[in-house]
Amino acid sequence: MMEKRTVRVAAVQIAPDLDSADGTVERVCRAVADAAAQGAALVVFPETFVPYYPYFSFVRPPVLAGADHLRLYERAVVVPGPVTEAVAAAARAHGVVVVLGVNERDHGSLYNTQLVFDADGRLVLKRRKITPTYHERMIWGQGDGAGLTVVDTAAGRVGALACWEHYNPLARYALMAQHEEIHVAQFPGSLVGQIFADQIEVTIRHHALESGCFVVNATGWLTDDQIQSITPDAALQKALRGGCMTAIVSPEGNHVVPPLTSGEGILVADLDMTLITKRKRMMDSVGHYARPELLSLHLDNRPAAPMTTTVTAAVPPAAAPSPQAEADHDHAQLLQLAR
């Protein structure tokens, strides 16, 4: 009989503060406290939640988006920095694992970044979305394979992908091959409409089945006032509604609790970790169901760098000949001439 292990998790669907990065961080810390008060060991937030997802880039052409893009630079998160210190302190104070999506600023570039804080406040993973999608390519740079890493946390082995990275089967397989127990998915929410919510649900349920792991997914939410502040165009406002599917899915592909598809709230569920073995007994896609001699994945997990340097060892100067050596050399030359 397997020993039962239960992990309580929380997926947060709330609105950011579109006017203040500090305001969004305060909302994050309050939600961490609320989830911890309900006994959660893992708390998941939406994609690029701090300071906010760049909704403007979806409804505004690039020629009109410059001011909003620069404002996002000003409010973006430097890692490490004040934002990571605040979230780390919240994770440590409440003894919970926190997964937070941020817009990360690295000098002149922004990245869609997922941060995993362990229950002691340590930042155990910083990964960047490997390929921004469609309009996002005007906003963020590309990540690298270094972030395709599963980390051990107080809640279990955690892997993470953002949004349409879930449509990259090799990226998902890289995490599956590292035996993730809890997969964290993050999507923006309040985007595209019902079709987006439907697609998210199909995607995360399939990954749970294929990986044999739990999936905790968080999507964002925008209020009507926030939508109107992003665009006054009523037709475009329709593109900023719907698309929410905050959900917790078991290794058998089932919702552990009913998903949250509108409004703000925190979804909480208990994960029976024995279901992982129950699923993998039947189908372990990176174990007995794999055929690595036929099909395998190569991952380049080196961090990308714009410059590398090669240190050339200095060649020591030739030592000056000793007086005896000079004398021997001269004597040899005289003998040569005498011949």
Side-chain angles (χ1 to χ4, degrees):
M1 179 74 81
M2 289 183 294
E3 182 180 352
K4 186 171 182 176
R5 179 168 72 92
T6 301
V7 178
R8 180 166 291 185
V9 299
V12 179
Q13 181 170 293
I14 55 176
D17 186 336
L18 295 182
D19 298 316
S20 166
D22 290 341
T24 302
V25 174
E26 289 174 5
R27 295 183 185 190
V28 167
C29 292
R30 284 200 301 270
V32 168
D34 290 345
Q38 298 180 61
L42 168 70
V43 186
V44 176
F45 290 89
E47 180 181 14
T48 58
F49 188 65
V50 181
Y52 41 74
Y53 179 83
Y55 292 101
F56 66 86
S57 65
F58 189 61
V59 296
R60 193 166 299 159
V63 71
L64 300 179
D68 287 312
H69 199 182
L70 287 172
R71 193 174 299 114
L72 186 60
Y73 267 86
E74 294 169 1
R75 298 172 177 175
V77 177
V78 176
V79 181
V83 170
T84 59
E85 291 172 2
V87 178
R92 184 167 53 250
H94 298 287
V96 298
V97 179
V98 177
V99 184
L100 177 66
V102 302
N103 290 269
E104 179 197 1
R105 180 173 181 175
D106 188 353
H107 299 281
S109 294
L110 298 179
Y111 296 92
N112 178 333
T113 297
Q114 295 175 290
L115 304 176
V116 180
F117 299 86
D118 209 346
D120 59 3
R122 289 181 301 118
L123 180 61
V124 293
L125 180 66
K126 184 193 84 168
R127 71 165 306 269
R128 294 169 173 173
K129 187 174 183 179
I130 55 177
T131 305
T133 302
Y134 193 50
H135 60 286
E136 297 172 351
R137 295 177 190 176
M138 295 292 296
I139 306 300
W140 299 315
Q142 294 182 323
D144 56 40
L148 291 172
T149 300
V150 173
V151 291
D152 286 307
T153 72
R157 288 183 59 74
V158 174
L161 293 174
C163 202
W164 277 17
E165 285 186 309
H166 291 87
Y167 291 155
N168 186 326
L170 300 183
R172 293 192 302 106
Y173 196 81
L175 301 183
M176 291 159 59
Q178 296 172 64
H179 311 293
E180 59 180 354
E181 296 176 315
I182 302 174
H183 177 82
V184 171
Q186 297 173 310
F187 288 77
S190 284
L191 204 67
V192 181
Q194 184 60 39
I195 189 173
F196 194 32
D198 293 342
Q199 291 170 349
I200 292 171
E201 183 179 25
V202 169
T203 300
I204 61 176
R205 292 181 72 178
H206 176 74
H207 183 72
L209 280 167
E210 193 171 73
S211 182
C213 71
F214 288 92
V215 176
V216 182
N217 181 62
T219 56
W221 172 257
L222 291 176
T223 66
D224 281 341
D225 287 344
Q226 288 178 322
I227 291 171
Q228 292 166 16
S229 73
I230 294 169
T231 176
D233 188 325
L236 292 177
Q237 288 173 6
K238 293 179 181 178
L240 300 179
R241 290 190 169 91
C244 295
M245 179 53 64
T246 293
I248 300 169
V249 181
S250 79
E252 296 173 319
N254 299 319
H255 288 283
V256 182
V257 290
L260 183 60
T261 57
S262 65
E264 294 187 296
I266 300 178
L267 211 59
V268 178
D270 290 327
L271 310 185
D272 177 0
M273 304 304 281
T274 62
L275 291 180
I276 294 175
T277 303
K278 181 181 177 183
R279 170 62 178 168
K280 289 190 173 182
R281 180 183 71 86
M282 299 291 291
M283 198 287 298
D284 183 358
S285 59
V286 297
H288 62 75
Y289 212 75
R291 291 295 304 275
E293 77 282 11
L294 302 178
L295 303 165
S296 62
L297 170 66
H298 171 74
L299 169 64
D300 183 351
N301 63 359
R302 294 172 297 178
M307 180 181 74
T308 59
T309 58
T310 301
V311 178
T312 303
V315 178
S322 65
Q324 182 61 49
E326 287 183 338
D328 291 344
H329 176 71
D330 293 342
H331 181 66
Q333 284 190 323
L334 287 173
L335 289 176
Q336 185 69 27
L337 289 172
R339 291 176 186 166

